[in-house]
Amino acid sequence: MSALQADDEAKTLQGRAPSGESFWSRLFRGLPPRPGDLAAIVGVCVLAALVSGYHFGVIDQAIFVPYAKHVRDGGIYGDDLLLQTLPYMHPLFWGAVGVVGRLIPLGALILGLHVLSTLLTGLAVYALGCNLFADRRSALLAVILVAVSVHGRCTPGGDALLLAGPELSQRSFALPWLLWGMTLALAEMPVAGLALAGLMFNVHPFSALITGAMIGAAMLVGRTRSWCALGGGAAAFLACAAPMMAHLGMLQNVRALAPVERQQWIEIVRMRSAAFLSPASLPPQSWVGAGLVVLLGARSFVARRPRGQRDMMALAFAVVPLVLWAPALIFSEVVPVRGMMLAQLGRGTKFAFLIGLLYFSDHQVRRLRGSAVEVAAAMGSLLIPPLLWVSLKVPLLIAPLHLLVGAGPRRAKQGRRLAAALVAFAIPLAALCWRAVDRAQLRVAEGRAWWGGAEAQWLDVQEWVRANLPRGEALLTLPEMAGFRAFSERPVVAEYKDGGAHQYRVQNLIEWWDRMQAMGVRRTGERGAVEWGFTSLREGELGRLTARFGARHIVTRSGHELAWERVYDNGSYAVLRAPEGAGAPGGPRGPAARRRGRVTSR
């Protein structure tokens, strides 16, 4: 071995980049993906996408697709309250989508960005595994386990770690780039990693801030812990984050909140977004599941010998999001602070889970090279992530197997190691395939397609409204149904989904909740739970609402019996026209029109 080769080997063991390595090679610690690795990553991403399905215009896109269309077309939603709030909710990403949507069909653009984000996420997880363990098998197994694990079931803060989510969102687009920022930090390029996190601050500020804190902490325990490097990294982050910071600075409220407004805001937010902003509202199973995942990762981290600088940096990546739960709890439950609640510090838990899964994967790969007992322990432990789909009981029963059986230094014969690895990898892959088939059968049984996600009848009524009602005309719609703006391209009075956006503007949040109550939404005794009462409203109440908000039509369920003209009915949802003067005391009632289509009460 030459002196240069010996020096390169020593640097690799110490977590430093060998001399003469290219940027691409450093990203993967000298193990760039081979064609077979890339094919495996793409295949796992496709399976994960089949499990999630693809949704357009629903979930979070129920809010942001209308904003993109508003930017693209200008003014199609009139003075919709939601469109007045969205500039306060970090809209740069969807604004850019709307601008590009003038050149490329919006649906195709969003789908393309979704596919790109999914593939980049899979490749980023592989790169992190290669950087930490210098082992392609550990990295590939980590990609599979990220795809097969449903962390939304056991993630406090509600922000699941998904290889392929059901839609494109700011979070899903930012995630792979933030993971690449972490990879750059492990590859001894932390300033570049912080610059990338700063760029993602313009897409999803909260995730970027947490990632920036993680990289900063990793620099303190890594080799790049000089004040010069830390200052350069902070400057790079701030410079790249400048557009969003300037935007947020211009949108700050010019007056201080009155105590009554502040208390109203806290109460409404705890009711509307308890799962994200109020940790005390989380169900016990979320904490149990989170504790299980953290415990599995911690056991695997402790079992790794020897540990180097990269392992300490990974530990910093995991500890920072968990430590942030302390201020998240204090400033949302004990001393509520609006800015800290909106920062959603608990939603960085997914990064700690990812580090735990990475070490869990490496632990199982090392077990497969050991004794028969260790191989059996690895196969049993690999059942835990897919079983999180079902419940927490069985994973809790299997967990002691992972916690008690180590990974010794023995080496099995090559043939047995290969056979064990094939069987072990087949366990989560089989679970992923089964889940994909199961979800496909469920969609067929429910009459829903993999493509789109929204209920067909709900789309039909939106298409009818877009084709038959004047542009800019506001409608009164069912508050529990989200996304009517997305395909109807018409303003609506309010949807319950809008509350998540209105949190960023206090006056609009209070107005939104006033509208919700007028539309029959009522709180229950449980925090975060509401009851729907729109279909129990009668002509007089609905007439006053339509007069108040200038709406000439309402969209309700077909079984909602009203003596108004029914201009459209598809058997599930109906459009009714409010008669002139319906909101005035003693105002006229329109004649009941002959129904079109089958009427079903729901």
Side-chain angles (χ1 to χ4, degrees):
M1 178 184 296
S2 68
L4 179 59
Q5 289 174 325
D7 181 61
D8 283 351
E9 183 177 350
K11 288 181 179 179
T12 301
L13 291 173
Q14 296 168 9
R16 298 166 60 190
S19 56
E21 270 196 310
S22 66
F23 172 80
W24 180 252
S25 182
R26 290 177 68 184
L27 277 180
F28 295 92
R29 198 174 176 180
L31 296 171
R34 298 170 297 194
D37 300 330
L38 289 174
I41 293 169
V42 171
V44 171
C45 289
V46 169
L47 284 173
L50 291 176
V51 170
S52 297
Y54 176 68
H55 297 175
F56 176 74
V58 295
I59 316 178
D60 285 351
Q61 287 187 12
I63 290 175
F64 291 110
V65 164
Y67 183 76
K69 289 187 174 183
H70 173 76
V71 172
R72 182 192 64 182
D73 299 332
I76 64 172
Y77 293 101
D79 59 352
D80 192 306
L81 184 67
L82 177 65
L83 273 296
Q84 298 173 29
T85 295
L86 284 177
Y88 292 79
M89 191 186 177
H90 43 269
L92 298 188
F93 173 72
W94 285 105
V97 169
V99 171
V100 179
R102 298 169 183 168
L103 306 175
I104 303 173
L106 197 61
L109 173 62
I110 291 175
L111 175 60
L113 292 174
H114 179 66
V115 171
L116 175 65
S117 299
T118 299
L119 295 176
L120 285 177
T121 300
L123 191 59
V125 172
Y126 177 88
L128 282 168
C130 288
N131 253 283
L132 287 172
F133 314 120
D135 190 317
R136 286 190 171 95
R137 288 184 183 179
S138 297
L140 282 174
L141 183 57
V143 176
I144 298 171
L145 291 183
V146 170
V148 83
S149 303
V150 180
H151 301 300
R153 187 187 299 274
C154 55
T155 303
D159 197 5
L161 172 66
L162 296 174
L163 185 62
E167 63 167 354
L168 177 74
S169 65
Q170 303 103 297
R171 292 191 307 276
S172 67
F173 182 82
L175 177 61
W177 301 106
L178 295 174
L179 297 183
W180 282 111
M182 295 163 60
T183 303
L184 286 168
L186 289 175
E188 294 194 332
M189 294 179 280
V191 175
L194 282 169
L196 192 52
L199 286 174
M200 289 303 103
F201 185 88
N202 301 292
V203 177
H204 197 247
F206 309 134
S207 297
L209 278 175
I210 294 171
T211 305
M214 291 161 52
I215 296 175
M219 292 174 70
L220 292 175
V221 299
R223 295 186 174 276
T224 52
R225 53 187 170 199
S226 68
W227 289 110
C228 182
L230 287 170
F237 181 94
L238 293 173
C240 293
M244 177 60 78
M245 289 185 172
H247 178 79
L248 295 177
M250 290 188 295
L251 294 178
Q252 292 301 311
N253 289 330
V254 296
R255 65 176 180 86
L257 296 178
V260 173
E261 289 178 319
R262 178 178 175 276
Q263 188 59 35
Q264 279 184 294
W265 183 88
I266 292 172
E267 292 176 359
I268 296 172
V269 163
R270 284 177 172 172
M271 177 273 302
R272 168 58 182 82
S273 301
F276 305 117
L277 305 183
S278 185
S281 304
L282 297 170
Q285 58 265 30
S286 293
W287 296 105
V288 174
L292 173 62
V293 176
V294 170
L295 185 62
L296 296 178
R299 171 66 179 91
S300 298
F301 181 84
V302 170
R304 181 168 173 78
R305 292 287 190 276
R307 289 192 292 271
Q309 290 293 330
R310 294 173 193 260
D311 297 306
M312 295 300 102
M313 295 174 73
L315 181 62
F317 288 159
V319 168
V320 167
L322 299 178
V323 169
L324 288 176
W325 269 103
L329 286 166
I330 292 171
F331 294 114
S332 64
E333 304 295 344
V334 183
V335 185
V337 176
R338 180 172 176 263
M340 296 296 289
M341 291 178 70
L342 285 176
Q344 305 177 28
L345 298 178
R347 301 190 79 172
T349 315
K350 61 186 176 186
F351 295 110
F353 283 6
L354 173 59
I355 298 300
L357 270 181
L358 284 163
Y359 277 87
F360 179 82
S361 302
D362 180 65
H363 196 183
Q364 309 322 312
V365 169
R366 287 186 290 115
R367 277 174 168 166
L368 294 174
R369 299 166 182 159
S371 66
V373 173
E374 292 167 356
V375 171
M379 293 182 179
S381 299
L382 286 171
L383 289 172
I384 295 176
L387 286 173
L388 289 174
W389 273 325
V390 183
S391 72
L392 288 173
K393 295 179 181 178
V394 179
L396 286 172
L397 292 175
I398 300 176
L401 182 69
H402 171 70
L403 299 176
L404 298 176
V405 178
R410 294 176 295 278
R411 292 284 186 260
K413 293 182 179 179
Q414 179 66 25
R416 200 185 78 182
R417 284 169 54 191
L418 180 59
L422 290 175
V423 174
F425 275 58
I427 292 173
L429 276 175
L432 187 60
C433 292
W434 169 82
R435 184 64 173 172
V437 173
D438 179 67
R439 292 296 295 272
Q441 291 175 340
L442 179 63
R443 291 189 189 97
V444 171
E446 293 179 345
R448 297 172 60 191
W450 177 85
W451 182 284
E455 182 184 356
Q457 290 85 350
W458 187 239
L459 292 177
D460 289 342
V461 68
Q462 292 183 61
E463 295 290 350
W464 185 89
V465 165
R466 185 175 64 180
N468 293 276
L469 296 187
R471 179 171 175 169
E473 179 180 322
L475 290 95
L476 189 67
T477 62
L478 289 157
E480 65 267 31
M481 297 297 294
F484 193 84
R485 302 176 184 88
F487 297 99
S488 70
E489 298 184 356
R490 299 294 183 270
V492 303
V493 172
E495 295 176 351
Y496 190 74
K497 178 72 175 177
D498 301 347
H502 288 310
Q503 292 164 171
Y504 295 85
R505 197 176 188 193
V506 176
Q507 294 80 9
N508 286 8
L509 180 69
I510 295 172
E511 169 65 20
W512 165 82
W513 179 237
D514 180 62
R515 295 185 182 190
M516 286 291 100
Q517 293 178 96
M519 294 166 67
V521 179
R522 296 289 180 268
R523 299 182 189 181
T524 65
E526 182 181 355
R527 186 190 284 190
V530 295
E531 294 177 346
W532 314 111
F534 187 82
T535 54
S536 65
L537 299 179
R538 305 311 305 160
E539 289 87 348
E541 297 165 299
L542 289 169
R544 286 188 289 274
L545 283 172
T546 56
R548 173 183 171 185
F549 299 112
R552 296 188 57 203
H553 294 83
I554 72 168
V555 179
T556 186
R557 299 194 186 276
S558 293
H560 192 179
E561 298 290 341
L562 296 168
W564 287 4
E565 181 183 2
R566 192 170 295 252
V567 296
Y568 173 83
D569 192 332
N570 63 18
S572 294
Y573 303 100
V575 180
L576 282 73
R577 179 179 291 122
E580 295 293 334
R589 292 183 178 182
R594 181 171 58 87
R595 297 183 183 277
R596 298 191 300 178
R598 182 175 57 87
V599 177
T600 57
S601 297
R602 298 183 62 180

